[in-house]
Amino acid sequence: AVLLAGCVGQAGPTGPPAGSAPAATTAAAPAAATGPDLVTAAYLRYWDAVRAAHRAGDPAAGGLAAVAADPELGRVRATVARNRAQQLSVRGEVRHEPAPPVVSGGTATIEDCYDITGWNPVDLRTGDPVGTVEAGGTGRYRVRWALRGSGESWKVVDQEALGGC
């Protein structure tokens, strides 16, 4: 079995909630971004870094520390390291449907129902797909993410699994 759940605790791999059309994983902050827009952009950059670390099989990927802090940073790194030890990587697309974040001073939360059905394990040596059975059943997970920061500098610091979407 492939261990992907470390990025989101008990929920499964890292990802967002269901609703309308899923957002692209990458998002740049708008020119006149507000606090909530900056938090959402930071959250999606976190996902970009998670996907890049998994793709490379590199738990020390430099981009992770720029977008995450402990305990979440440690969880992601541990998951990537476990997968690498098993000669596995996770590649593909993660679809997001984040709700507007709640920002209070230097903390924020954002709920996302993410879909990882297109984010699949591959053998690091060959790049070939690896068959898995998903314990969650749907590949869609609702998670509340906690962020710390201010201005354009927000980092994902924790997450709470809320169940399926």
Side-chain angles (χ1 to χ4, degrees):
V2 176
L3 182 55
L4 303 174
C7 294
V8 262
Q10 295 84 1
T14 323
S20 59
T25 302
T26 304
T34 64
D37 293 336
L38 293 170
V39 169
T40 300
Y43 168 70
L44 293 173
R45 282 192 304 272
Y46 159 81
W47 272 101
D48 288 342
V50 167
R51 288 177 56 234
H54 276 285
R55 181 167 186 72
D58 183 5
L64 289 174
V67 296
D70 287 327
E72 187 62 20
L73 178 60
R75 280 189 204 108
V76 173
R77 286 183 167 164
T79 299
V80 174
R82 276 191 303 271
N83 286 345
R84 183 175 70 179
Q86 296 174 21
Q87 293 296 311
L88 298 172
S89 175
V90 188
R91 299 184 182 164
E93 184 177 355
V94 177
R95 311 252 326 154
H96 297 271
E97 295 178 21
V102 176
V103 181
S104 177
T107 63
T109 58
I110 187 168
E111 286 189 21
D112 189 11
C113 181
Y114 63 93
D115 182 344
I116 58 165
T117 56
W119 200 39
N120 300 304
V122 298
D123 185 307
L124 269 174
R125 296 162 293 204
T126 65
D128 292 335
V130 174
T132 63
V133 175
E134 185 180 328
T138 65
R140 294 169 55 93
Y141 303 94
R142 182 171 306 283
V143 175
R144 180 179 301 119
W145 301 89
L147 293 89
R148 273 194 320 250
S150 64
E152 293 185 29
S153 180
W154 289 90
K155 291 185 178 188
V156 173
V157 296
D158 209 353
Q159 46 79 19
E160 175 186 2
L162 302 174
C165 303

